[in-house]
Amino acid sequence: MLIGYSMPAVNAVNLSAGSAWLTADNGSALFDGKPARATRLARSSGSPTINVTLASAIVVRVVGLLGLNLSEGVVVSVGATSATTRRLADGTVACWLLLPVAAATAAVSVVITTAQATVQIGELVIMPAVEVPLGSDWSVERIDPSES
C-alpha cells in the first residue's frame, strides 16, 4: 500500500504560456488545505501547465488535484505518468497520480489536457510516499518493515 505524507512548502507556482490566473491569489489557494476555496485559470491555447517549485527537493510519489470543474475522463500528466479525472462519491471531480520512484526534485509540472476555457482547481497535493507491505492473512503480532 502506498501512503503519501507531508506536503512540502511551496516556494513558487506559475502557469505555462497560454494560461493566466483568474483569481487574485495567483495559485496560492492551491496549497492552503481548503479544497472548497478554488483557484481558477483561463486557457487561451495549449494544455494548461502548472509549474510548482517546492522549498526542498523530495521524491514525488503522489500528486492529486481536488475540486475540479472538469468532466470525467480528462487526462492529467506529471512527467511520463498520466491519469484521468474521476467523479468521487461526494460528487466532486478529482485526479490522483501515483508516480514511480525517481530522483528527488523541487520542480513539478502538472499538465491538464483540456480544451475547456476556464479550469477550476480546489487543491493541488504533491507528496512523498512510503510503501507499506500488507499481509494476506490475519495476525496479532506487529510487523516492523524497517527491520526486514
Side-chain angles (χ1 to χ4, degrees):
M1 176 187 304
L2 188 66
I3 300 173
Y5 64 92
S6 185
M7 168 86 181
V10 173
N11 276 351
V13 59
N14 58 58
L15 296 171
S16 61
S19 299
W21 300 114
L22 291 176
T23 47
D25 62 76
N26 291 327
S28 65
L30 292 172
F31 312 102
D32 65 359
K34 301 173 184 173
R37 180 177 165 224
T39 292
R40 292 180 312 140
L41 59 97
R43 183 200 66 80
S44 58
S45 65
S47 297
T49 301
I50 303 168
N51 301 303
V52 180
T53 304
L54 303 172
S56 59
I58 63 167
V59 176
V60 179
R61 295 293 311 278
V62 178
V63 175
L65 286 93
L66 308 172
L68 300 169
N69 70 333
L70 303 169
S71 59
E72 291 182 78
V74 172
V75 175
V76 177
S77 304
V78 175
T81 302
S82 61
T84 56
T85 57
R86 301 280 185 233
R87 185 161 309 280
L88 303 179
D90 66 357
T92 62
V93 177
C95 186
W96 288 98
L97 295 100
L98 305 177
L99 284 66
V101 175
T105 183
V108 179
S109 293
V110 180
V111 180
I112 304 169
T113 308
T114 184
Q116 189 166 313
T118 303
V119 176
Q120 177 176 298
I121 305 167
E123 198 75 12
L124 174 57
V125 180
I126 301 169
M127 297 182 288
V130 63
E131 291 201 39
V132 178
L134 298 177
S136 61
D137 59 346
W138 289 95
S139 176
V140 292
E141 67 182 7
R142 297 193 186 271
I143 301 171
D144 184 356
S146 66
E147 296 178 355
S148 56

